[in-house]
Amino acid sequence: MKNKLTSIWAIFAFILSVEISAAQDSVPAYKNPNLPVDQRVQDLLGRMSLEEKVRQLDMYSGSSDLLTDDQLRDHHTHAKTDAVFNPVSAEKILGNFGVGSIHDTYPPPQLYNAIQAWVIKSNPLGIPALFIEEGLHGYMGYDETVFPQSVNLATTWNVDLAKKTGAAIAAEARADGVDMILAPVLDVARDPRWGRVEEDFGEDPFLSGQLGLNYVEGMQGDSLATDHNCIAEPKHFAAHGSPESGLNTSPVHAGEREVRTVMLKSFEPAIRQGHAMVVNRTGIRDSKC
């Protein structure tokens, strides 16, 4: 009798292993967390149409594209706490090609869950959207912690404090579903006429670089596969903080040497050591740049 039960359990275990193996084989490689990232990415890209790839480069305004005015707070970039997602209107705007990223929503958790679930279900490959918001000196959602501006943090020369600040901001943002924060500002302040000087870490590229690196490391942590870390995107790459006449978004007049030794230097640690991503923002007026 004992041998018979042993045989039955062995057969059952074999059948179960076969079924599990078959189930794993039916899962696309890009959805298999056990495979290397590069392999998963290549598999996903091979399945995507040109339209789907282009759509992943798009950023949509959650407040204007996905919500109506009566569901927004006064300045029209933040959803109300009781905002309700309307999939019918979203389908008219977004269709079924997927969504690259969504900005200016600051969604309460239930709204994030509703939008993200629809995005995943509405495109054939089930690619989620990247929710991107501001969080320079505190996640800009309502009732979140506000820290001193970056220029104040710079006066402490305390890199550990910068790391703790980045970690705290990421934890609050991630709790609402936000994946990526547009910070820190690593422009080097050289012209006080620029009206955003308080956003950066001052005029020294070394200090800015070290504070920026620690801010990024705190925000991204050891892994992004957590419930309390976000992608950090240092900005504004590069030289944005030295615009003509101090006018925001004006052209930057700088030579190659100054750009390399000052304006790029503040970004280098965050990129090389912190593995941060950046987005090109500035037009530099110099024939050699």
Side-chain angles (χ1 to χ4, degrees):
M1 182 66 180
K2 185 177 180 180
N3 291 336
K4 185 176 181 180
L5 288 174
T6 302
S7 298
I8 292 173
W9 278 112
I11 294 172
F12 175 76
F14 174 74
I15 294 174
L16 183 62
S17 66
V18 170
E19 289 180 348
I20 292 175
S21 178
Q24 290 177 339
D25 290 340
S26 65
V27 175
Y30 75 92
K31 289 188 175 183
N32 187 344
N34 298 316
L35 294 177
V37 172
D38 288 346
Q39 183 178 342
R40 296 175 66 188
V41 170
Q42 289 303 314
D43 179 71
L44 178 59
L45 289 175
R47 298 170 185 268
M48 295 174 71
S49 66
L50 178 60
E51 291 84 356
E52 289 170 327
K53 292 176 180 177
V54 171
R55 181 60 67 87
Q56 288 302 309
L57 301 176
D58 283 349
M59 175 186 288
Y60 291 84
S61 169
S63 54
S64 60
D65 293 334
L66 302 179
L67 299 172
T68 54
D69 288 344
D70 61 324
Q71 298 191 81
L72 302 174
R73 295 182 185 265
D74 293 339
H75 41 54
H76 301 294
T77 57
H78 289 60
K80 292 181 177 179
T81 54
D82 59 351
V84 178
F85 173 62
N86 184 346
V88 176
S89 60
E91 186 173 0
K92 292 180 181 178
I93 295 174
L94 303 176
N96 63 351
F97 288 115
V99 180
S101 58
I102 298 174
H103 183 45
D104 277 348
T105 312
Y106 301 93
Q110 71 274 11
L111 179 62
Y112 164 82
N113 289 337
I115 296 175
Q116 190 68 282
W118 179 84
V119 169
I120 293 172
K121 185 178 179 180
S122 67
N123 71 89
L125 294 172
I127 303 173
L130 193 68
F131 278 73
I132 304 175
E133 303 294 1
E134 302 284 354
L136 176 59
H137 62 111
Y139 171 52
M140 282 185 61
Y142 273 82
D143 297 322
E144 307 292 353
T145 306
V146 177
F147 296 90
Q149 265 286 15
S150 299
V151 73
N152 300 107
L153 178 58
T155 63
T156 69
W157 292 66
N158 189 330
V159 294
D160 186 55
L161 188 59
K163 182 174 290 188
K164 290 178 179 178
T165 301
I169 294 170
E172 292 190 353
R174 197 73 193 96
D176 282 355
V178 175
D179 306 288
M180 178 175 169
I181 292 293
L182 301 176
V185 171
L186 296 182
D187 298 305
V188 178
R190 289 298 175 92
D191 189 339
R193 294 177 299 175
W194 184 49
R196 303 176 65 176
V197 170
E198 78 283 355
E199 295 183 23
D200 57 41
F201 293 118
E203 62 183 356
D204 183 76
F206 177 78
L207 177 63
S208 297
Q210 293 305 305
L211 290 170
L213 167 63
N214 281 270
Y215 182 106
V216 166
E217 289 182 337
M219 181 164 285
Q220 298 191 154
D222 295 327
S223 171
L224 293 173
T226 72
D227 61 357
H228 58 272
N229 291 113
C230 288
I231 303 167
E233 193 264 304
K235 60 181 185 179
H236 308 84
F237 191 79
H240 179 83
S242 301
E244 181 180 15
S245 302
L247 297 176
N248 194 45
T249 72
S250 291
V252 174
H253 298 273
E256 181 177 358
R257 179 174 180 177
E258 184 181 12
V259 172
R260 289 185 179 275
T261 60
V262 177
M263 299 174 181
L264 293 178
K265 207 68 177 178
S266 56
F267 285 89
E268 187 173 10
I271 297 171
R272 292 190 185 278
Q273 296 169 247
H275 309 293
M277 60 164 288
V278 291
V279 178
N280 185 42
R281 172 69 180 267
T282 309
I284 301 175
R285 297 286 180 85
D286 184 273
S287 60
K288 295 182 180 180
C289 289

